[in-house]
Amino acid sequence: MVVLQFPFTLGAFFSLPLDTLLSTQGIMVMLLVAYAGAMWMFLTSAPKVHTIMVSDMEIARQFYEGLLDLPTADIPLHYYYNYEQSMGVTAGIDPLYMSASPGISSGRNLNAPDGLWYQLKKNNQLHVISGANLGKKNQQRHVCFDRDCLEQVLMRVEMRGLKHKIRNQKPLNFLVKDLEERVIEMAEVSN
């Protein structure tokens, strides 16, 4: 019987006799250590995902790909497993920002990991989904719960020299004109 004393080091683990390492308990400990290492690597390398709800996916695609020239990104692995929905994120969405006709689908399922995916920074991605209603005078709305995301989009708008007007700092709200002179409202939703 092996009695482990703390502080326990990895070197001490591998200096154990071979029959102890290859026992059922030894193999289980090695598997747990390997699993913990893999989870640590996964969690530290997973990109931070910002989600923006938009009123028109095609106009949003033209805006983010065309005007802001954001590169498309691959869907992060944790989104393949419905991570956001399992955490109950969609339950907290204010109905004010949801589409006026919930029965009418835009061809996209909010519970699926689809939508538009863009790379904002090295380890930051933008996930664009449908769900926002139109603003005043049928202007396009893009709403987000994350101020950092909207600040990154605003910085990109300013760098590209696009016409914009900051309406409010807290919560952040600004207007941008696209190439077809449509007004896009970017709004931070404060809880």
Side-chain angles (χ1 to χ4, degrees), residues 155-170:
M155 184 173 63
R156 189 85 174 194
V157 164
E158 291 171 342
M159 286 179 9
R160 310 272 308 160
L162 300 175
K163 293 179 192 176
H164 69 284
K165 177 183 177 185
I166 299 175
R167 296 170 62 190
N168 201 5
Q169 283 292 338
K170 289 194 178 195

Side-chain angles (χ1 to χ4, degrees), residues 28-129:
M28 290 303 293
V29 168
M30 286 190 291
L31 287 173
L32 285 172
V33 168
Y35 178 74
M39 286 303 294
W40 179 81
M41 289 178 59
F42 170 74
L43 292 174
T44 57
S45 67
K48 180 174 182 181
V49 176
H50 302 286
T51 302
I52 290 184
M53 289 187 297
V54 300
S55 49
D56 186 302
M57 290 294 282
E58 182 55 30
I59 292 173
R61 186 189 62 74
Q62 293 169 10
F63 178 71
Y64 293 107
E65 288 178 24
L67 283 175
L68 296 186
D69 196 29
L70 289 174
T72 58
D74 292 328
I75 300 173
L77 184 60
H78 58 279
Y79 274 78
Y80 282 111
Y81 299 106
N82 256 353
Y83 175 75
E84 268 191 347
Q85 288 72 29
S86 68
M87 297 298 288
V89 171
T90 55
I93 296 175
D94 189 340
L96 172 67
Y97 294 100
M98 296 302 288
S99 172
S101 305
I104 299 174
S105 173
S106 63
R108 300 255 184 215
N109 180 0
L110 285 176
N111 292 326
D114 56 357
L116 304 173
W117 292 85
Y118 300 104
Q119 200 69 40
L120 276 174
K121 290 198 276 186
K122 181 180 180 199
N123 208 23
N124 284 349
Q125 290 185 350
L126 178 64
H127 182 204
V128 179
I129 60 172

Side-chain angles (χ1 to χ4, degrees), residues 6-24:
F6 290 96
F8 180 71
T9 63
L10 197 54
F13 179 75
F14 287 111
S15 66
L16 294 173
L18 189 58
D19 62 336
T20 303
L21 285 176
L22 296 178
S23 70
T24 304

Side-chain angles (χ1 to χ4, degrees), residues 140-172:
Q140 299 298 309
R141 286 188 97 190
H142 296 204
V143 296
C144 184
F145 289 95
D146 191 336
R147 182 179 182 86
D148 182 49
C149 173
L150 287 183
E151 287 175 344
Q152 289 180 44
V153 171
L154 177 59
M155 184 173 63
R156 189 85 174 194
V157 164
E158 291 171 342
M159 286 179 9
R160 310 272 308 160
L162 300 175
K163 293 179 192 176
H164 69 284
K165 177 183 177 185
I166 299 175
R167 296 170 62 190
N168 201 5
Q169 283 292 338
K170 289 194 178 195
L172 184 58

